[in-house]
Amino acid sequence: HRDLTGIAQLERHEILFLLAEAEQWVEFNRRADKHCDALSGQTIINAFFENSTRTLLSFEIAGKRLGADVVNMHAAQSSVKKGETLIDTAVTLNAMRADAIVIRHGSSGAVDLIASKVDCPVLNAGDGQHEHPTQALLDALALRHALEARGEGSEDFTGLTVTICGDILHSRVARSNILCLQALGASVRLCAPPALMPAGVEAMGAATFADFDAALDGADVAMMLRLQTERMSGQFIPSAREYHHLYGLTRARLDRCAPDALVMHPGPMNRGVEIDSDVADMLDRSIITRQVEMGVAVRMACLDVLTRRGRAVPGWND
Ligand code: CP
């Protein structure tokens, strides 16, 4: 079997393959009857050691719509609170003969560790500051749909400039998106307060900015990220007012981008801090709810592809 621990482990053609697979589920999810038996008889465990609304719910909905038996393990109510180690937890989940395990964990690399201890595919639902691969895939699908709706659709994002602004240092979403967007041909600009920009990130091929206005100049997409104060220790944390002044996406700032530039945010949003409500709610420019919609389709595609046994999957290296 194969795991989905990061975009870094995917070839470009595999990213395109997963997006193509997700397209059928976008249509499926718009039907009145949203149930099939593709994963009938399979058990999926969602093991979440960190809070989540979108990722947990969409993985649960995805598994159920595919006909799988889906079980959620919340760390707060689990024996992790009694001191059980991550490896013992992994061995325990494995003994229950899950067919796929979806994991969110606060430590970078925790998902790889669990993947090395279990017999079934493991899907990374966000590990520390490392990766959040299904978020990057759903962002790519949402962006593709938005461009298609304007008659600018193409398979990849060649020629597109995406500015990712926020707490880049702590953001697994940023990391996975840098890898995914660049694999699909986009130019990526990163913007953060200097203390929240990871050292050496330019080596990933992205341009870095401390000045938000400069980072937005002519960009086709503004992807806003929240300040992950729960991961900060020792860094200077700007006040919400100060941060908004320097890095908040306002209507006036959006005008620095290309005409009709799109606005994205993975959620959860802090309105009035990194993004103003009148920008987040712009019907013609903001694709934030489309991102959520695509999340279910992308997670259906990933669960379906990773749990296929004995069935050749063209476009996917097994
Ligand atoms: N975008 C994202 O991962 O949201 P949740 O933390 O709510 O899952």
Side-chain angles (χ1 to χ4, degrees):
H1 73 264
R2 199 163 157 204
D3 305 304
L4 181 60
T5 54
I7 297 293
Q9 281 72 47
L10 299 180
E11 305 274 349
R12 173 189 148 88
H13 74 87
E14 292 174 321
I15 294 172
L16 290 170
F17 171 72
L18 288 173
L19 296 179
E21 285 284 305
E23 293 288 1
Q24 67 182 298
W25 301 118
V26 175
E27 294 308 314
F28 179 91
N29 288 333
R30 290 174 180 169
R31 289 175 10 186
D33 175 8
K34 296 182 273 293
H35 185 88
C36 72
D37 294 324
L39 268 61
S40 176
Q42 303 213 28
T43 302
I44 297 170
I45 300 180
N46 293 321
F48 276 59
F49 298 83
E50 268 194 339
N51 293 342
S52 171
T53 298
R54 280 147 287 270
T55 312
L56 175 58
L57 274 177
S58 60
F59 264 116
E60 181 174 1
I61 290 169
K64 286 180 171 167
R65 287 187 183 167
L66 290 166
D69 297 314
V70 182
V71 187
N72 294 337
M73 189 200 96
H74 300 278
Q77 288 122 44
S78 74
S79 287
V80 171
K81 289 282 170 212
K82 302 177 196 165
E84 188 163 62
T85 67
L86 187 58
I87 290 176
D88 284 338
T89 303
V91 170
T92 301
L93 299 182
N94 196 50
M96 293 178 187
R97 297 192 175 272
D99 297 288
I101 301 177
V102 180
I103 301 169
R104 168 167 288 194
H105 199 281
S107 299
S108 307
V111 176
D112 287 282
L113 180 67
I114 291 184
S116 71
K117 300 289 174 194
V118 303
D119 300 320
C120 65
V122 168
L123 292 87
N124 184 357
D127 65 328
Q129 299 164 216
H130 177 224
E131 280 233 38
H132 192 353
T134 57
Q135 179 72 46
L137 292 169
L138 77 85
D139 288 340
L141 193 63
L143 190 49
R144 181 195 277 181
H145 273 245
L147 295 172
E148 269 169 10
R150 291 180 172 180
E152 299 165 15
S154 72
E155 193 185 41
D156 71 8
F157 301 138
T158 302
L160 210 70
T161 298
V162 181
T163 298
I164 306 177
C165 179
D167 180 0
I168 308 290
L169 180 68
H170 298 107
S171 180
R172 54 201 180 201
V173 175
R175 191 174 168 76
S176 291
N177 260 301
I178 294 166
L179 294 166
C180 188
L181 289 165
Q182 291 187 153
L184 299 179
S187 298
V188 177
R189 297 178 186 167
L190 303 174
C191 179
L196 297 177
M197 184 71 84
V201 73
E202 294 89 351
M204 292 181 77
T208 57
F209 296 80
D211 183 81
F212 190 26
D213 291 338
L216 288 175
D217 189 31
D220 301 294
V221 180
M223 182 184 288
M224 304 307 297
L225 304 174
R226 73 184 173 92
L227 289 169
Q228 300 195 40
T229 46
E230 74 275 21
R231 295 191 209 287
M232 293 183 189
S233 59
Q235 284 97 3
F236 167 70
I237 305 177
S239 70
R241 215 176 78 165
E242 192 175 20
Y243 187 82
H244 177 264
H245 177 64
L246 291 170
Y247 296 103
L249 188 62
T250 60
R251 198 50 254 264
R253 279 216 169 100
L254 188 59
D255 287 341
R256 293 186 168 272
C257 297
D260 301 328
L262 296 166
V263 175
M264 302 179 75
H265 195 307
M269 274 189 283
N270 288 299
R271 290 171 181 264
V273 183
E274 74 272 13
I275 189 166
D276 276 0
S277 276
D278 60 349
V279 176
D281 299 334
M282 285 174 91
L283 291 178
D284 54 336
R285 310 278 288 274
S286 168
I287 62 168
I288 294 169
T289 50
R290 196 193 291 256
Q291 289 171 262
V292 177
E293 181 190 5
M294 296 301 153
V296 179
V298 157
R299 285 158 183 145
M300 289 174 84
C302 293
L303 287 170
D304 182 39
V305 168
L306 265 72
T307 57
R308 282 184 205 176
R309 288 194 208 100
R311 287 182 284 160
V313 187
W316 182 252
N317 303 336
D318 224 342

